[in-house]
């Protein structure tokens, strides 16, 4: 089956899943866990000021254990948007896949029944939280490949400020291999030229992206900038704004694997903005279409309203 047919099949399945999910919620079945005790006003203010914050023990261990199993299953059976960022002949593995919730019951249950949606809504000060997509990012020990400096908003077909990620640690993450954020960089509101982490430069190629500025050379400016990074335990979550500039180092041979499960969220003010060069066109090639027009709200079968 072609990639486009696989993608179209996933979208049709998403429609059926959404119908069943809403029916079960209406009947009093599984309800999202309350996240009020996991979010403090000081965390929201710090996020708004710095662009990134860590929430400790935000997700119960029972969810972490289930997601670990599902993550390993996905690595053996990836989806049509999977990308492996380590080049042939280089050590380690950097696995990256998207829209796992369409294929894995565990991810789907986590999104609709765990505290993650309420956490996202609270951190955005939103009236609602809508899932944009989910993503599994795994670096195995000995992986030298870095995550280059970038911000997410440059890749995403979105306009608006209520756009965040919740990056859940499934393994212990030492500060030395944690995602690093440039403090306050979300205030730059930078749209930069984008590139594939695996070096496939045709992936996002367009005339418009060629006209955008490059991301600033963060490594040359470290004396002028403050980096945010943390030691993390399973269940801890990084919350970051879509405009926050971030990157991550490789993983040492002696380090454990780093499995991160990221869910991306939008609030009620966000609009669909399919700028040339964004992931929208990569998704379309895989048959994954939100069926939205430019400027419309993100109300789509592909982006379910979770809470």
């Amino acid at each position: 089956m072609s990639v486009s047919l696989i993608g179209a099949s996933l979208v049709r399945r998403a429609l059926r899943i959404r119908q069943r999910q809403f029916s079960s919620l209406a009947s009093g079945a599984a309800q999202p866990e309350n996240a009020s005790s996991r979010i403090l006003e000081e965390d929201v203010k710090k996020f708004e000021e710095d662009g990134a914050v860590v929430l400790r023990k935000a997700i119960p261990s029972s969810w972490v254990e289930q997601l670990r199993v599902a993550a390993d299953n996905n690595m053996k059976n990836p989806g049509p948007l999977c990308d492996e960022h380590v080049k042939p002949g280089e050590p380690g593995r950097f696995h990256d896949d998207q829209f796992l919730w369409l294929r894995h019951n565990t991810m789907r249950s986590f999104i609709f029944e765990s505290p993650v949606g309420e956490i996202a809504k609270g951190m955005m000060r939103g009236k609602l939280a809508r899932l944009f997509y989910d993503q599994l990012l795994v670096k195995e020990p000995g992986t030298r490949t870095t995550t280059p400096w970038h911000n997410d908003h440059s890749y995403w077909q979105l306009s608006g400020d209520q756009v965040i990620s919740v990056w859940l640690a499934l393994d212990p993450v030492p500060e030395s291999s944690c995602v690093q954020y440039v403090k306050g960089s979300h205030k730059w509101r930078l749209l930069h030229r984008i590139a594939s982490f695996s070096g496939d430069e045709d992936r996002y190629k367009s005339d418009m992206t060629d006209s955008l500025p490059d991301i600033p050379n963060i490594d040359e400016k470290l004396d002028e900038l403050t980096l945010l990074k943390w030691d993390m335990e399973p269940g801890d979550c990084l919350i970051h704004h879509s405009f926050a500039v971030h990157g991550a180092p490789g993983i040492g041979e002696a380090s454990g694997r780093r499995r991160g499960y990221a869910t991306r969220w939008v609030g009620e003010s966000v609009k669909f903005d399919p700028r040339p060069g964004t992931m929208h066109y990569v998704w379309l090639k895989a048959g994954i279409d939100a069926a939205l027009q430019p400027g419309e709200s993100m109300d789509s079968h592909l982006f379910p309203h979770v809470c």
Side-chain angles (χ1 to χ4, degrees), residues 23-82:
S23 295
S24 66
L25 289 176
S27 66
Q31 298 284 341
E33 296 173 28
N34 190 300
S36 59
S37 62
R38 296 173 173 83
I39 302 174
L40 300 175
E41 176 65 16
E42 63 189 71
D43 292 323
V44 180
K45 288 182 176 178
K46 191 167 185 61
F47 164 74
E48 292 172 339
E49 179 63 25
D50 294 348
V53 70
V54 64
L55 299 185
R56 302 295 185 185
K57 299 181 180 178
I59 301 299
S61 59
S62 57
W63 283 115
V64 172
E65 292 300 328
Q66 293 177 63
L67 289 168
R68 283 173 171 169
V69 174
D72 289 347
N73 288 339
N74 186 82
M75 293 183 73
K76 297 173 184 175
N77 301 284
L81 289 169
C82 179

Side-chain angles (χ1 to χ4, degrees), residues 1 20 22 27 35 39 41 60 62 67 69 72 93 101 105 123 128 166 175 180 183 185 187 238 244 263 303:
M1 183 181 291
R20 290 198 300 268
F22 284 179
S27 66
I39 302 174
E41 176 65 16
S62 57
L67 289 168
V69 174
D72 289 347
R93 182 180 182 184
W101 76 276
N105 290 335
M123 296 301 295
L128 61 82
V166 180
E175 183 182 294
Q180 305 173 73
K183 183 178 180 180
S185 57
K187 298 177 183 178
L238 297 173
T263 48
F303 310 132

